[in-house]
Amino acid sequence: MSHPLDELLSLAERTYVRLEAEQLIDDCLRKGDPTPFDELLEELVIAGSKSLTVLREILGAIRTVKTNLSQEGLGVRQDLLDALAEYGIKLNQIISVEAPESFWRITRQDLHKEVMKRVISLPAEDETLLEEICIEAGKQVTRIARRLVILNRFEESVIDWIDGLAYVIVHTAEEASVASQDPPLH
């Protein structure tokens, strides 16, 4: 095969691995079960150093999913702010803090009470709607947070195994280099 064709095939393989990893990660997150990912990781580690490239692609997939989830969380926060602004409520002092703190505040059960403190008076149906908006935003942020916890665990595991395999590769190469420099015993 020609060199450009080899590069194209390598790129296609990496793209395929990344897409498959993203699908597996998504399935694990949707089901809340990390077992299939853990099993894949175990197989790759057993395969040894030849799986290092695949592990790097999986790490890239994890980071892509994390970025997407973080963006989704920011979208939920912004949607909540927009919905409340329609009622003339500005929660910048409650929700405009750093993202992790902001997410925690959205998931609090008493967010609706915090909202109502800033409202002079509303019809009962609007008050009920505001409560539903707060509860739904809390549920969405909680779901995102749970997924991010799983993704962080996946990321830590993959990084640990990449580091471990890299260590083995370097030390195996050093040992081979030292062994080839030793004079033969007669």
Side-chain angles (χ1 to χ4, degrees):
M1 274 195 242
S2 68
H3 186 68
L5 185 56
D6 289 341
E7 289 177 16
L8 182 63
L9 289 174
S10 176
L11 175 64
E13 287 173 357
R14 287 194 317 267
T15 302
Y16 175 77
V17 166
R18 182 178 283 252
L19 290 173
E20 288 296 308
E22 286 177 7
Q23 181 62 46
L24 178 66
I25 291 165
D26 186 53
D27 289 345
C28 289
L29 294 177
R30 202 173 355 82
K31 294 175 184 173
D33 180 14
T35 305
F37 183 84
D38 292 339
E39 290 170 351
L40 171 66
L41 193 56
E42 183 179 324
E43 289 176 24
L44 290 170
V45 170
I46 290 171
S49 61
K50 61 185 173 190
S51 65
L52 200 53
T53 303
V54 174
L55 286 168
R56 286 189 181 124
E57 288 301 320
I58 290 172
L59 182 59
I62 290 168
R63 290 179 173 163
T64 297
V65 174
K66 278 180 66 173
T67 299
N68 293 340
L69 271 178
S70 294
Q71 290 298 321
E72 186 180 334
L74 291 173
V76 169
R77 179 183 160 272
Q78 188 59 49
D79 290 347
L80 176 62
L81 289 171
D82 292 346
L84 296 176
E86 289 181 24
Y87 290 95
I89 303 167
K90 293 188 178 16
L91 288 182
N92 292 341
Q93 61 271 42
I94 293 177
I95 305 225
S96 286
V97 295
E98 295 297 317
E101 176 69 15
S102 171
F103 293 150
W104 175 82
R105 289 179 181 218
I106 291 172
T107 62
R108 288 189 352 206
Q109 297 297 329
D110 62 347
L111 178 62
H112 176 252
K113 292 175 188 167
E114 293 290 331
V115 169
M116 296 316 295
K117 286 180 187 176
R118 287 159 176 76
V119 176
I120 296 171
S121 75
L122 278 177
E125 63 266 3
D126 286 347
E127 191 173 319
T128 301
L129 182 58
L130 279 174
E131 182 177 12
E132 290 172 7
I133 289 170
C134 292
I135 289 170
E136 183 57 33
K139 286 178 184 177
Q140 290 176 356
V141 168
T142 299
R143 180 186 54 81
I144 290 168
R146 283 185 183 130
R147 290 177 172 200
L148 284 171
V149 166
I150 293 171
L151 282 171
N152 285 334
R153 188 177 78 66
F154 286 174
E155 183 178 37
E156 289 171 11
S157 294
V158 171
I159 289 171
D160 285 348
W161 283 114
I162 287 173
D163 290 347
L165 289 173
Y167 178 84
V168 168
I169 291 168
V170 167
H171 284 347
T172 302
E174 285 176 358
E175 289 172 5
S177 174
V178 168
S180 69
Q181 294 175 2
D182 289 340
L185 295 176
H186 294 288

